[in-house]
Amino acid sequence: MQSFRTELENPLVEKDIIDLARKIELFREGKIHEEKFRSLRLARGVYGQRQQGVQMVRIKLPYGKMTFKQWKRIADISDEYSTGNLHLTTRQDIQIHFVSLDRTPELWSKLEEDDITLREACGNTVRNVTASPSAGIDPNEPFDVSPYADATFRYFLRNPICQEMGRKFKIAFSNTDEDTALTYMHDMGFIPKIQDGKRGFKVVLGGGLGAQPMLAKTSFDFLAADQIIPFLEATLRVFDRHGERNSRHKARIKFLIQKIGFEKLTELIQAEWKSLKSKSFEVDTETGKWNVEADALPSKTASEVAIMNQAAYDLWKATNTFEQKQTGFYGVYVRILNGNIHSTTSRSLIEQLEGYIADDVRVTINQGLMLKFVPEANLYYVYSVLEAHGFAAAGANSMANITACPGTDTCNLAISDSTNITSKLEAVITEDFPELIHNSDIKIKISGCMNSCGQHGMANIGFHGSSLKAADKRVLPALQVLLGGGTVGDGVGRVADKVIKVPSKRGPQVLRVVLNNYEENANEGEYFNDYYDRQGEKYFYNLLKPVADLTTLKEDDFIDWGASEQFQTEIGVGECASVIIDLVATLLLESVEKMDWTKAAYDENRWADSIYHAYSVFVSAAKALLLDKSVSASTQSGVIDKFDEQFVATGEISLSGKTFKELVLQINQNEPSQEFATKYVEDAEAFLALAKAYRDQLTLV
């Protein structure tokens, strides 16, 4: 591989990209351990996929926002480096697949020309900040949350406190109490409130799906808007220090809460306050980009368009559009099967829609798009454009629009198909229950495994990929059926119950049985979850038991949806977050690199950043020496305590009369001033030199 060069206006971005290119070279030369390299590339949006030798690249779009120019750039990138497909995700990102690792720096560089990043789209970082797609135009919102989501995204991008956490951290902003961003299933979520004329947020903390879903708890019923970023910063510092690092399955903040309790976590967060970079953070909500100024508003009025099927248009308008709070404009939801849209289609849509709608397109959490500021006079035209491209299906937010992760198409962890079956399940609604196209209370979601990337864990009707064994010991693809999950509102949600497992080919039958039963037996106006609660889990288990009967299997049941050969489980190594490689030499080399970051931040007068980088130097170097003794610690706080036990208390290493804990945790006792930064950086450099000398002495023995 040749060394990569780029010329970008942002020197930080340019350094990032050149660094990735160099690290790829070192990895190819065998000079970087595979696990360490995995951690590095994940934090730069490069993710291994099911097919060997190629990568998935995740493009980070804060709160799903993109301009036409950015959308076109992504489409062109997919043509040049991928397959031409753009996959819209439930976290408002766009993913492209089958990318050569060696070409990712060049790809990233071209994206950055239109201010699009890959940085921290994967890995143990703050992931993409999501938000309600209707933010800024919803008639029911107290205020636009977009500026706050944007500020959060930018504040924590490349922030040293969240670069190498034990696990990922997900943040969401809902714009109303309806909670369309699903805050209750996030590590931290925000819902806007007005109190005494002042802006603020309800804050929920510690939610998550995955194999062990947990609902978020309320931290504040009202937190002033200028305090949300400081609170986030303090929480991330605690999570970084006390979060699990050895067992990735127990490493999310929900497990830290489970381990130490919510009250103790709150105390630890409060103890960080003195050391924060920002005690208050005012978000700019006045600039034009939040108000869609004239240059972004539609400038064209469409000519009269003949609609061939007026009934279809009326249904589309009723289910896919809404009147904005800005008089005369509509928001339009676009339904996209499995979130997959081709680059050619994207460019054609851009060409035909540009000027007729605002230059502000949002990726939605149900894998679709939302178009903003569509003048009422242009609705017929927009519908005709979408119809010509196959994207005018009604029910964009109804149960007919099913969310699905990529599953066995590309994911290492997927057990059975989740994409081909989606079209079959949607057909059940369209063909057998057409009246439910208006039902937006029931959500159907499917994932290829239990990890819930398709959000099945909070669906009213959910499925996740699995397997079953027949009487003759052959394995067949299966679906775990879940019922009763969903959004209650205002940061409160429900986790779905696992009811029964059935052969995958019987998924459509499950849906028919459940919906027929609901239609026949529910009381007038009774919501699905109320009906589920009234009947109970056992009732639905017995209802679906005949569908799960394995004595009536056919040969077709052993072939997964979209496949032609007999099913077999092929689960690879997951990369939802990386592990930290426990090699002494590697850790010491990392410590040296972190010391370089410390000095660079210090030289740029970024005192808080230099202090936190120095903290990382202490922990990384101490961990290296502990590992040399085969002593493991699963948290950074554990590393600090065990270093004192193993080295300081024994007299093996002297720290001028201080304990290691006293030395390191000065970080919590001081404001991030130049004076403290100077001393703390010097202490970290001295400790690193001591650790290297100690290690060198051991290797000479």
Side-chain angles (χ1 to χ4, degrees), residues 251-263:
R252 296 291 291 275
I253 198 168
K254 62 185 180 181
F255 294 113
L256 179 59
I257 293 171
Q258 191 180 60
K259 179 181 177 182
I260 67 174
F262 196 73
E263 187 176 336

Side-chain angles (χ1 to χ4, degrees), residues 25 79 137 161 237 333 379 534 612 621 623:
E25 279 189 289
D79 277 343
I137 63 174
I161 68 171
R237 291 167 75 101
Y333 287 99
L379 279 174
R534 180 161 64 83
Y612 208 87
K623 187 173 184 180

Side-chain angles (χ1 to χ4, degrees), residues 506-561:
R506 299 179 188 177
Q509 187 181 347
V510 167
L511 198 52
R512 288 190 186 93
V513 169
V514 169
L515 293 178
N516 275 323
N517 182 271
Y518 172 55
E519 285 199 336
E520 292 167 7
N521 300 308
N523 296 327
E524 183 69 27
E526 187 174 28
Y527 289 121
F528 179 83
N529 277 357
D530 293 334
Y531 177 66
Y532 174 76
D533 290 342
R534 180 161 64 83
Q535 297 288 24
E537 180 184 340
K538 188 174 181 181
Y539 172 87
F540 282 92
Y541 172 82
N542 290 326
L543 178 70
L544 294 172
K545 197 172 181 181
V547 185
D549 184 4
L550 299 186
T551 64
T552 58
L553 290 173
K554 301 174 182 176
E555 282 303 310
D556 188 54
D557 289 317
F558 293 91
I559 300 173
D560 206 356
W561 293 101

Side-chain angles (χ1 to χ4, degrees), residues 159-177:
N159 194 311
I161 68 171
C162 51
Q163 294 305 298
E164 294 182 311
M165 298 184 296
R167 203 72 161 85
K168 57 193 172 184
F169 197 93
K170 296 180 178 180
I171 302 167
F173 286 80
S174 279
N175 66 334
T176 70
D177 287 358

Side-chain angles (χ1 to χ4, degrees), residues 85-195:
N85 186 57
L86 280 61
H87 177 68
L88 315 179
T89 81
T90 57
R91 294 213 48 79
Q92 298 177 294
D93 297 304
I94 292 180
Q95 294 175 176
I96 59 175
H97 294 84
F98 300 95
V99 177
S100 164
L101 174 63
D102 294 336
R103 301 187 74 193
T104 53
E106 181 183 299
L107 178 159
W108 186 1
S109 177
K110 290 185 178 180
L111 284 173
E112 286 283 358
E113 290 176 22
D114 283 315
D115 194 27
I116 308 167
T117 191
L118 310 181
R119 180 75 194 227
E120 295 151 52
C122 309
N124 300 325
T125 60
V126 170
R127 296 292 186 84
N128 195 27
V129 177
T130 60
S132 300
S134 59
I137 63 174
D138 194 319
N140 299 313
E141 66 185 19
F143 53 86
D144 184 5
V145 300
S146 303
Y148 301 93
D150 188 80
T152 300
F153 159 74
R154 296 187 189 283
Y155 189 89
F156 292 105
L157 190 70
R158 297 185 180 84
N159 194 311
I161 68 171
C162 51
Q163 294 305 298
E164 294 182 311
M165 298 184 296
R167 203 72 161 85
K168 57 193 172 184
F169 197 93
K170 296 180 178 180
I171 302 167
F173 286 80
S174 279
N175 66 334
T176 70
D177 287 358
E178 190 180 350
D179 201 2
T180 54
L182 314 180
T183 59
Y184 59 89
M185 49 158 271
H186 283 76
D187 296 287
M188 193 176 290
F190 299 92
I191 301 169
K193 305 288 181 182
I194 299 286
Q195 185 171 296

Side-chain angles (χ1 to χ4, degrees), residues 270-334:
Q270 291 170 345
E272 293 291 325
W273 218 260
K274 188 173 185 179
S275 61
L276 297 184
K277 181 195 298 188
S278 305
K279 309 293 191 301
S280 172
F281 191 93
E282 293 285 351
V283 172
D284 175 16
T285 61
E286 300 302 321
T287 54
K289 68 177 180 177
W290 308 123
N291 303 313
V292 189
E293 292 296 307
D295 60 345
L297 282 170
S299 56
K300 300 177 183 177
T301 301
S303 304
E304 206 167 299
V305 176
I307 298 296
M308 301 300 293
N309 188 334
Q310 185 66 38
Y313 170 79
D314 290 341
L315 181 61
W316 172 84
K317 184 180 178 184
T319 61
N320 288 32
T321 78
F322 65 94
E323 292 187 59
Q324 296 184 187
K325 64 183 181 182
Q326 295 86 359
T327 304
F329 292 103
Y330 279 74
V332 174
Y333 287 99
V334 183

